[in-house]
Amino acid sequence: MSVLTALGLLLSGASVAVGSFSSPPAELYSPLVAEKIRTTALSPPNPMQYPQYTDRTVGDWLYFSPDTWTTGFFPATLYAIYDRAQSCHWGADNASEWLALGRQWSSAEVSLEKNNTLEHDVGFVSFPFMDELQVNPTNQTAITAINQFAADLAARFSPIVGCTRSWDTPNPVDFEVIIDNMMNLELFFVSAALTGNQTLVDMAVSHANKTMQHHVRPDGSSFHVVEYNATSGDVIASFTAQGYSDSSTWSRGQAWGIYGFANSRHKHPSIARSVAKRSAIVYMHTNITDYLETSRRMASYFLDHLPDDGVVPWDFNAPLTPPRPADSSAAMIAANGLILLAQQEASLTPSNATGYQYYIEAAIDLLRANTELAWQPSWQSLLANGTVNNPDHNNLTGIVYGDYYFVRAGNELLAMNITTCQPGPQTVNNGSSSSSSSSSTSSCLPLRILHAKVWWLLHLAIVVVVAVT
């Protein structure tokens, strides 16, 4: 097969990939996904609060103030459904309503730019503003939010330690850094693309290097917390706050690491196009191969330590008796990390077709096993069986970031032509839904989706050629 033949098949919508993949779980594209998210979105609390996790019995959301680290996930989920409404042709009115809801739910975050107690988690609350820039790259509210939150994160960076401080401590000499902080580095990259501030990129690279050195063990597992001496930069201790023990591997932290290191190497074409008009530099992450290798090692540990049923435990080393709780949120984060790893394997020169195939199949297996366990149609959340903080006995719940990464995984598989769209609701503003018809919508992909889709189709064409030659 020639490159032109492969590319032509891909652009025509044919399913061309390396080998064949298992089917993703049908629940990823169930009408309940949009319906349940819509129901929550149409009933915002007054004053505004945000869902974080559910109760353990009937699955109703529990709400928290905007000054909470998880605030950005629900509005980011609304933007993700907006993406799906566009790419799956649910209708222009439908898509515009999802966008309006995303903007509405993001609005209460704006005040956090000047006053918050989020510490390093300003990266997570920035997610909907990053999404907005992909819709409207000149949106000044989003630009200001991203740059201000990046300034907050930069103020927590220590050149002595080489990291951003995660948690404040009673003794400021104790400089604590958690593996989760890898997820907040994208804020530095996006703000640097908007402003041309190379110092932010340097901070991100330094933090990733230190995390790679001190959080990731030789076998690819990870510590949750590494504590440094703020004066000397020396490591004082390595321990856990939410895992089973200081020497164990907390699964959600491992998932953050897989995703974070793959993302530290990741080139993001859609944001690149959004900010190119505003900046002299093209947005891209570091392209440092060590980060890709670290993500691979962490993924190998994660997959090699799954139980036979594929359900992700709260901690890989927790005793089996009494039964250890699962964490569906860790599964969803890891699935997205594996998809991102697959994309990275496809982007190599030459493309790693075997790696691409392996990580996509692993992600689908992870989604299937954990959706089978956690899909809960009667709950307000999409998924149950999440573990917020097991040492605090907060488990067996729905979690907002588990739902967010569940939706994101479905979108990524659609964008990569691994699966196909399902009909969606045509309206969201009146509480009703009806299936959309392909004949009633445009056959053209919206520009935002087209950029990402064409970019991946180009890489997949290369992967196909490598596989068949």
Side-chain angles (χ1 to χ4, degrees), residues 167 180 224 240-244 250 252 314-315 387-391:
W167 295 331
D180 319 35
H224 181 195
T240 194
Q242 294 192 42
Y244 170 68
W250 174 50
R252 191 161 73 241
W314 141 70
D315 188 297
T387 296
V388 177
N389 188 332
N390 200 63

Side-chain angles (χ1 to χ4, degrees), residues 306-382:
L306 287 172
D308 291 341
D309 61 6
V311 171
V312 177
W314 141 70
D315 188 297
F316 286 112
N317 307 111
L320 299 179
T321 305
R324 58 189 181 184
D327 187 4
S328 57
S329 73
M332 297 305 118
I333 297 161
N336 279 269
L338 293 170
I339 292 169
L340 183 54
L341 260 179
Q343 293 169 349
Q344 291 306 295
E345 301 295 354
S347 72
L348 296 174
T349 305
S351 293
N352 180 359
T354 301
Y356 173 83
Q357 175 96 12
Y358 173 76
Y359 288 123
I360 290 295
E361 194 63 54
I364 291 173
D365 289 345
L366 200 59
L367 289 166
R368 185 186 306 107
N370 289 274
T371 300
E372 183 178 349
L373 169 76
W375 179 252
Q376 192 60 265
S378 66
W379 283 28
Q380 291 182 349
S381 61
L382 302 177

Side-chain angles (χ1 to χ4, degrees), residues 194-206:
L194 291 167
T195 63
N197 186 351
Q198 179 62 31
T199 298
L200 298 178
V201 175
D202 295 340
M203 288 178 177
V205 170
S206 176

Side-chain angles (χ1 to χ4, degrees), residues 219 296-307 316 358:
D219 65 353
R296 287 169 175 162
R297 288 172 51 223
M298 297 190 77
S300 293
Y301 183 93
F302 195 104
L303 296 171
D304 289 346
H305 288 78
L306 287 172
F316 286 112
Y358 173 76

Side-chain angles (χ1 to χ4, degrees), residues 216 220 222 254 257-258 261 294-302:
V216 184
S222 58
Q254 190 75 6
I258 296 168
F261 278 108
T294 299
S295 184
R296 287 169 175 162
R297 288 172 51 223
M298 297 190 77
S300 293
Y301 183 93
F302 195 104

